[in-house]
Amino acid sequence: MARDWRDLFILDAAAAAAPAEEAQPERRRGFFRRLRENMAKTREALATEIQATLFDTLDEETWERLEEALIMADVGARTTADVVGRLEEEATSGVVEGGEALQERLVELLAGIARTGDDKIDLRHGPTVIMACGVNGTGKTTTIGKLAHHMHHELGLTVLLGAADTFRAAAVEQLTQWAERVGCDIVTGPEGSDPGSVAFDAVAKGRERGVDVVIVDTAGRLHTQDDLMAELTKIRRVIGKQMPDAPHETLLTVDATTGQNGLRQAKLFSEAVPVDGIVLTKLDGTAKGGIALAIAGELGIPVKLIGIGEQLEDLRPFDPDDFARALVAP
């Protein structure tokens, strides 16, 4: 069954003991069904080839076709080579025999790659400060709103939003609408004001009010914009002046439809600031869902959240096993 929100977060004793609506098995199974349906583009592009490949004679052409299928799904050349090489070795040695067993083993190998690093978010800091970053158009601000909603309404946590994207009035308006929808406080600044100042004030007010979580939105920027990437480093440093061990979590939102460009974004962002986790959005609109495995396998950064649609429930904790099975199974 899919991971729920309590599987993603490390909570203090009081929050962990609260009733868990998310723990309903049928609800978890329902999400897996939705995940599988919404990843149809990637699965249809991949599963047909895998079925044709693994149930035929295992020869050199078989492994080449499998490699091509995985690369087309943007699993990445290096990650693909590792997976196919290991699967071929196990098949040749007789450790794994038969098409169904090979497919199941492929799921296990892909899930193992996706399961990297620390895939939890520690919310015991009082407040926990989360910094959100990413390229414009990836769904970053919407992700923040949905994340705040789940934290507040399903886990009973108090959340404060910091609108540090001061260059784009629409971003502040959008985040303000989310704050109203969620029922949480928001800290904003004048249009064009210093983003670091807004972030500093947000953390300060979060501490004063005793909230559980402060989520700071930052300006969407291209990974090639050196000045804005430097500003991201500055915001992180300013937050640390207000609360020495903050931000406790830096989440990078990546649009799955960008494929290998998403891998490059993750690499360059992680060189500017320590990225603790990836939010992979728009998985429902792409045949390139394998990018989650490329990021995990090549950069060692765990995917922590995925977006598979527009609804609130379509932002979910990432489950490596469910993802691999939804990616491969027909």
Side-chain angles (χ1 to χ4, degrees), residues 132-134 136 140 164-167 217-221 228 231-232 235:
C133 55
N136 274 328
K140 173 175 54 64
D165 182 354
T166 58
F167 295 108
D217 188 14
T218 63
R221 63 206 72 216
L228 288 178
E231 180 193 85
L232 195 62
I235 294 173

Side-chain angles (χ1 to χ4, degrees), residues 174-191:
Q174 184 183 6
L175 201 64
T176 300
Q177 290 172 359
W178 271 109
E180 293 171 354
R181 182 177 181 181
V182 172
C184 67
D185 292 333
I186 184 171
V187 173
T188 63
E191 185 177 351

